[in-house]
Amino acid sequence: MIQKIQIITTSNTDPYENLALEEYLMDTVEPGTCILYLWQNRQTVVIGQNQNAWQECKVKELEEDGGFLARRLSGGGAVFHDLGNLNFTFLLPRSEYDVARQSDVIVQAVRSFGLAAERSGRNDILVDGRKFSGNAYFKRGANAYHHGTLLIHVDMANLSRYLNVPADKLRSKGVRSVVSRVANLQEFNPDITVDAMKERLVWAMGQVYGTQPQPVDEQKLDRARIQALAQRNASWEWRLGRKLPFDTSFSARFPWGGVTVQLSVESGLVHRAQVYSDAMDSAFIQALPQALEGHRFSARELAQAVEPLLPEAGQQELGFEADRAMAQDVQALIARQDF
């Protein structure tokens, strides 16, 4: 039985640190306790534990714009966070875990603003048939968490810009775009702000669980342990180096001929490369696969891997007859790929 309700909020907007604190709180929540954790990330795409980052979002564009790619422990789909979004996490013992009860906190908080919020299926919460909250879940050992988003005034242009939503997923929901599926709560009530929503969520926790919420004693948090988790969360291996094999290809035609590059990627590295071309000069094309293999699946890094194959003007180097313009064209083709 839940006997104690605790609240913790953070002004930190670093996704790796926020996800680290979430994991730490889940592992250390005490029996009979439910913690509500409220947090925000700045310009971040968060993918599920088993998702392929490159299939879910425009990794290159996001990071070039100063954004973050993060991977969470829970399953589910990719979501976009900015400071117009408020994240919530319920952390509690598995024996007290109740999705309906936890979701009722969100529903009551939103209804207190005069909106007819309702749950839809297992993962979504809607107003007027439009999704403002997506939820995901994770259980480990004796404890668990239930977390989700609250879209208050998210930049929908960036949400559409960075997320790759499969066309078949959109068709199955009978809509034309990701933006038409979701809504900011300020569209329904302009008075809803992030700070106001935090206050209503704390109020709703007390209503649903029947006890006055108390703040978490942050002096007792193990900051070294949290920082170690944050470093793992920020690492390339955690975010992009997961063992999720996939294949991709791209092609283009130039004055000297056409080229198709096929890459097999495993654990975030190019495991095998194949290059096809009708170019007259074959040596560069033959050397290219070996140059690409073993490198991270990054347009920038793969383009740099081509650099040693570029002959200097008027010279033939490395024992092959590659036209410099052709090599530069292929390098530029790789560099502009969206991964």
Side-chain angles (χ1 to χ4, degrees):
M1 179 177 178
I2 296 295
Q3 299 172 322
K4 182 167 64 174
I5 300 298
Q6 292 186 304
I7 305 293
I8 182 168
T9 63
T10 178
S11 59
N12 187 359
T13 59
D14 183 302
Y16 309 125
E17 295 180 10
N18 286 337
L19 288 166
L21 177 57
E22 178 182 65
E23 184 174 355
Y24 171 83
L25 291 171
M26 181 194 67
D27 288 340
T28 57
V29 64
E30 297 176 350
T33 300
C34 179
I35 299 174
L36 175 62
Y37 169 41
L38 301 176
W39 47 291
Q40 292 181 282
N41 291 332
R42 61 183 186 273
Q43 197 166 339
T44 300
V45 171
V46 184
I47 59 174
Q49 181 178 125
N50 300 310
Q51 286 193 297
N52 181 322
W54 295 282
Q55 290 179 349
E56 299 301 326
C57 81
K58 298 178 177 64
V59 177
K60 178 184 176 184
E61 186 171 357
L62 173 69
E63 294 187 338
E64 286 181 346
D65 290 347
F68 302 86
L69 173 74
R71 185 183 297 275
R72 62 182 186 267
L73 294 175
S74 61
V79 291
F80 175 71
H81 294 172
D82 66 13
L83 298 185
N85 171 73
L86 175 63
N87 299 301
F88 63 85
T89 310
F90 298 94
L91 309 111
L92 66 172
R94 292 179 70 161
S95 59
E96 303 296 339
Y97 187 83
D98 184 339
V99 171
R101 190 181 193 189
Q102 292 142 206
S103 298
D104 194 37
V105 174
I106 307 303
V107 170
Q108 286 203 29
V110 175
R111 286 180 177 175
S112 73
F113 288 101
L115 305 182
E118 60 180 353
R119 291 181 63 203
S120 175
R122 175 173 166 79
N123 299 324
D124 299 340
I125 307 177
L126 315 179
V127 169
D128 290 350
R130 296 178 69 193
K131 173 180 173 179
F132 68 87
S133 177
N135 294 229
Y137 317 94
F138 182 73
K139 299 178 181 180
R140 183 168 68 193
N143 298 332
Y145 72 57
H146 161 194
H147 62 184
T149 57
L150 289 171
L151 306 184
I152 296 175
H153 57 92
V154 170
D155 186 330
M156 291 296 182
N158 279 339
L159 184 149
S160 295
R161 179 181 180 184
Y162 298 126
L163 294 182
N164 293 326
V165 181
D168 58 350
K169 182 175 181 180
L170 294 176
R171 285 196 298 270
S172 71
K173 295 182 179 291
V175 295
R176 296 185 61 186
S177 72
V178 64
V179 172
S180 66
R181 288 184 56 216
V182 300
N184 279 313
L185 287 173
Q186 284 190 352
E187 293 182 38
F188 307 103
N189 183 341
D191 294 331
I192 299 177
T193 64
V194 170
D195 287 340
M197 182 58 70
K198 288 179 181 179
E199 293 177 0
R200 299 296 176 92
L201 287 168
V202 174
W203 166 82
M205 280 290 287
Q207 295 296 304
V208 172
Y209 286 92
T211 186
Q212 183 66 30
Q214 300 296 324
V216 168
D217 184 355
E218 297 190 38
Q219 297 298 319
K220 295 182 178 181
L221 301 179
D222 186 340
R223 294 294 179 183
R225 183 173 166 187
I226 294 168
Q227 188 57 40
L229 290 171
Q231 290 175 356
R232 181 209 64 189
N233 291 343
S235 70
W236 182 89
E237 289 76 14
W238 177 261
R239 297 180 303 116
L240 295 166
R242 307 300 293 275
K243 193 175 179 64
L244 300 170
F246 65 96
D247 296 331
T248 189
S249 66
F250 50 92
S251 60
R253 177 154 291 278
F254 301 97
W256 46 263
V259 62
T260 296
V261 180
Q262 295 181 345
L263 304 175
S264 292
V265 182
E266 187 170 324
S267 299
L269 301 176
V270 176
H271 178 68
R272 185 181 180 190
Q274 293 179 299
V275 181
Y276 305 94
S277 177
D278 58 1
M280 296 297 292
D281 292 316
S282 63
F284 170 74
I285 298 299
Q286 291 173 352
L288 189 55
Q290 185 176 355
L292 298 177
E293 290 172 358
H295 289 275
R296 291 180 178 179
F297 184 62
S298 157
R300 182 180 303 166
E301 185 164 329
L302 292 175
Q304 290 174 348
V306 179
E307 192 68 29
L309 303 183
L310 294 177
E312 295 182 4
Q315 296 183 2
Q316 296 175 357
E317 296 185 345
L318 303 180
F320 60 87
E321 298 178 355
D323 178 89
R324 182 172 178 82
M326 179 177 72
Q328 289 177 325
D329 285 343
V330 173
Q331 185 181 43
L333 171 65
I334 295 171
R336 64 175 176 262
Q337 298 306 303
D338 192 18
F339 55 74

